[in-house]
Amino acid sequence: MMTPLRSETLPVREVSDLLLVRQFVRECAVELGFGVLDQTKLVTAASELGRNTLIHGGGGKMLLETLVKDNRRGLRLTFEDQGPGIAALE
């Protein structure tokens, strides 16, 4: 199991928050030594999840955790909203 080193929560309540989410995810990925391609993938995923949180969930928050296990480092992004969910998941 990876141990969280750092935990930060950012609001996702308005469009301008999406820019802050993208910037913060990129900064953390750079600090952890992720390459440009992986940085881009993380920022793209955060941007899409943040947009979904805002548009479909009515806003919420992103929890970013910096993780470490042995010599491995990672980021865990968790997006939460208060939206209605998916009515017919099947």
Side-chain angles (χ1 to χ4, degrees):
M1 181 173 208
M2 296 190 92
T3 305
L5 290 178
R6 173 180 176 184
S7 179
E8 300 279 341
T9 301
L10 294 175
V12 181
R13 292 190 204 108
E14 50 193 61
V15 174
S16 61
D17 291 336
L18 297 176
L19 177 61
L20 297 174
V21 163
R22 288 192 298 265
Q23 289 173 337
F24 189 61
V25 169
R26 182 171 304 279
E27 287 171 12
C28 290
V30 168
E31 285 176 16
L32 289 174
F34 282 87
V36 174
L37 180 59
D38 288 331
Q39 291 172 32
T40 302
K41 288 177 180 180
L42 283 165
V43 170
T44 300
S47 182
E48 291 300 314
L49 290 166
R51 188 172 308 285
N52 287 346
T53 298
L54 183 61
I55 294 170
H56 302 293
K61 62 185 177 181
M62 176 194 75
L63 171 66
L64 181 145
E65 295 171 285
T66 302
L67 306 170
V68 67
K69 180 179 181 183
D70 302 323
N71 291 330
R72 297 174 54 204
R73 296 175 183 245
L75 288 177
R76 178 170 38 214
L77 307 176
T78 305
F79 288 82
E80 294 181 16
D81 63 53
Q82 299 302 313
I86 301 171
L89 191 55
E90 329 55 62

